[in-house]
Amino acid sequence: MSVYLTHSGVPVTQRGEGLIRMSASSRSSYRVVLSAPSAWPLLATAGLARLSMGMLGLALVLSVHDATGSFGTAGLTLGAFALTAGVFAPVRGRLVDRVGRGSGIRLLGGSFCLVGSILLLLIATVREPAPLILVAAALGASAPPISAAARTAWTDVVGRGPRLSTALSLDTVTDELLSLAGPVLAGLLAATTMPIVALAAAIGTQVIAVHSFTRVAPATQGTRSAAPARVRALPWHVFSVQLRLPPVLIPLFAAGIGFGIIDVAVPALALGHGGAASAGWMLALLPAGSALGGLVYGRRVWSSPPIIQYRWLCLALAVGFAPLPLIAAWVPLWPLLLIAGLAIAPIMVNGYLLVDRASPDGGKTEAAAWVSTANNSGVAFGSALSGLLVTRIPLTAVFMLPTVAVLAGLTATFLMHRAAPADGAIKPS
């Protein structure tokens, strides 16, 4: 596989100073990864963006519910945000690949700030669901792809090889830890002030993250002149990536359905047993478990192919989701959410590795964004479904659906593989 080029055009794995040389026998180490130049600033600034997104989901649900009195509207609003955040992620990633990491993120950050301000104004003044849902959809469409850009930036920092897997594990664990802090912070702000204050804080943190990330992340030039034929062939490139990655994207979509169901079902449960602050703590356990699983996973080099690991991890996620209906029956069992999250970070790491392996240089941010597209589209569907069901069927039944969704996605992947095995980019070796 080819490597990323720096500003000067020198492959990052061949530069002698300040970058880590990679080899197939390199031993992965968090310490070695963090000793690379730009590693800590990259983690910290991308972390601000992830904290913002961790706050935004719960803050949006609570704000819209507070404004309209309807969990159905709140679920549809979160679903609209997640849907456009996912569907348009490759388009935003392509913009970043085309104009450069800094320019693309800044452009989208300005749009996000403007649309976010409009959403806050509407929540404060409007009670009709349609405007809230439409503007939330626009907010998702303009969300800066800092997570995808950060994950592609790791190749510039550590090169390829075993340490890239370790760096992605570290990146995903950081993502999960800040996703843990996000709901807690949003819940506390909503409980001590007003839900709209939590939403405003989430949007403001994202704007700060855009400014910080573009100052410290390794710069890239746009690819318009470097690879015009490949970069301009958007429809074919997108279609070809999709054709090569169904065994990756389908389980991510199914897992996203489970996450979306939980994102609405947990606040609905918490508001009946303790309020907004407890919703934040309960939702935080899922990323806490993910962070723990990611730390363990990233400390060793795995010999089995990523696609094999990926399938077993998806099965582990379904097993982790299976006890969740017990929480609805007896709320003190909410620590089960910690166990349910253990497989999430390793699944995401393998998803990004498989996408990276299947995608060409000059389109890495766009390709990485397809992981978010699959997952966020599932979250959108699950949020909307959960918002409609939490007031119509018992919460115990609602909490059964994440397991059903993940098992259905894994089954579809196996059936698809038997009918038409995946290409060499993701086929077990």
Side-chain angles (χ1 to χ4, degrees):
M1 294 180 66
S2 24
V3 297
Y4 262 61
L5 300 183
T6 64
H7 247 16
S8 61
V10 180
V12 293
T13 50
Q14 295 177 7
R15 293 179 64 181
E17 296 182 2
L19 292 172
I20 302 172
R21 292 182 179 272
M22 305 298 300
S23 69
S25 61
S26 297
R27 179 167 181 166
S28 299
S29 164
Y30 290 126
R31 179 182 57 80
V32 173
V33 167
L34 289 173
S35 69
S38 302
W40 279 108
L42 181 61
L43 275 177
T45 55
L48 278 177
R50 288 155 174 167
L51 177 64
S52 165
M53 289 301 173
M55 295 172 63
L56 202 146
L58 179 59
L60 187 58
V61 168
L62 294 176
S63 297
V64 174
H65 177 262
D66 185 57
T68 65
S70 168
F71 265 115
T73 300
L76 288 172
T77 303
L78 178 60
F81 172 83
L83 178 63
T84 55
V87 169
F88 289 101
V91 178
R92 298 193 304 272
R94 184 163 188 83
L95 174 66
V96 171
D97 285 331
R98 185 156 187 162
V99 306
R101 192 173 287 145
S103 299
I105 295 293
R106 279 191 292 269
L107 178 62
L108 291 166
S111 301
F112 186 87
C113 180
L114 176 61
V115 177
S117 300
I118 295 172
L119 179 62
L120 291 170
L121 179 62
L122 288 176
I123 289 176
T125 59
V126 174
R127 297 296 178 265
E128 294 298 321
L132 299 176
I133 293 170
L134 289 174
V135 177
L139 187 69
S142 62
I146 292 181
S147 282
R151 288 183 170 106
T152 59
W154 280 113
T155 309
D156 296 318
V157 174
V158 302
R160 300 191 187 278
R163 289 195 186 110
L164 179 58
S165 178
T166 299
L168 288 173
S169 294
L170 181 64
D171 184 271
T172 305
V173 166
T174 304
D175 189 352
E176 297 298 344
L177 288 174
L178 289 164
S179 296
L180 180 156
V184 172
L185 182 56
L188 289 174
L189 283 173
T192 56
T193 58
M194 294 184 299
I196 195 172
V197 174
L199 183 59
I203 293 170
T205 301
Q206 185 72 202
V207 174
I208 295 171
V210 166
H211 175 73
S212 303
F213 180 81
T214 54
R215 291 175 63 88
V216 303
T220 60
Q221 299 282 11
T223 55
R224 182 189 297 268
S225 60
R230 180 178 56 199
V231 171
R232 292 173 187 169
L234 175 60
W236 170 247
H237 174 73
V238 168
F239 185 60
S240 65
V241 169
Q242 285 180 301
L243 285 178
R244 299 174 71 184
L245 293 177
V248 181
L249 299 181
I250 291 174
L252 283 171
F253 176 77
I257 293 175
F259 303 150
I261 291 169
I262 292 170
D263 281 347
V264 177
V266 167
L269 179 66
L271 288 177
H273 294 81
S278 61
W281 288 107
M282 291 172 72
L283 282 177
L285 284 181
L286 204 64
S290 176
L292 179 61
L295 282 172
V296 173
Y297 177 82
R299 285 188 62 85
R300 59 172 294 182
V301 177
W302 300 87
S303 58
S304 57
I307 188 63
I308 299 298
Q309 298 177 46
Y310 188 67
R311 291 169 181 167
W312 280 108
L313 288 166
C314 288
L315 181 60
L317 182 65
V319 172
F321 279 165
L324 292 184
L326 297 175
I327 299 174
W330 194 42
V331 177
L333 289 175
W334 54 267
L336 288 172
L337 287 163
L338 181 75
I339 298 173
L342 289 173
I344 296 174
I347 286 173
M348 298 304 292
V349 169
N350 276 274
Y352 281 107
L353 286 173
L354 291 167
V355 167
D356 180 81
R357 184 177 299 181
S359 61
D361 286 340
K364 295 294 185 182
T365 308
E366 178 187 358
W370 277 104
V371 175
S372 297
T373 295
N375 189 247
N376 286 341
S377 297
V379 170
F381 182 82
S383 298
L385 178 64
S386 188
L388 294 173
L389 293 179
V390 291
T391 57
R392 291 174 169 82
I393 65 174
L395 280 176
T396 303
V398 176
F399 276 107
M400 291 179 182
L401 297 178
T403 302
V404 174
V406 174
L407 288 177
L410 193 56
T411 300
T413 296
F414 273 112
L415 292 175
M416 185 177 298
H417 180 76
R418 287 172 63 88
D423 69 10
I426 57 175
K427 182 173 58 179
S429 56

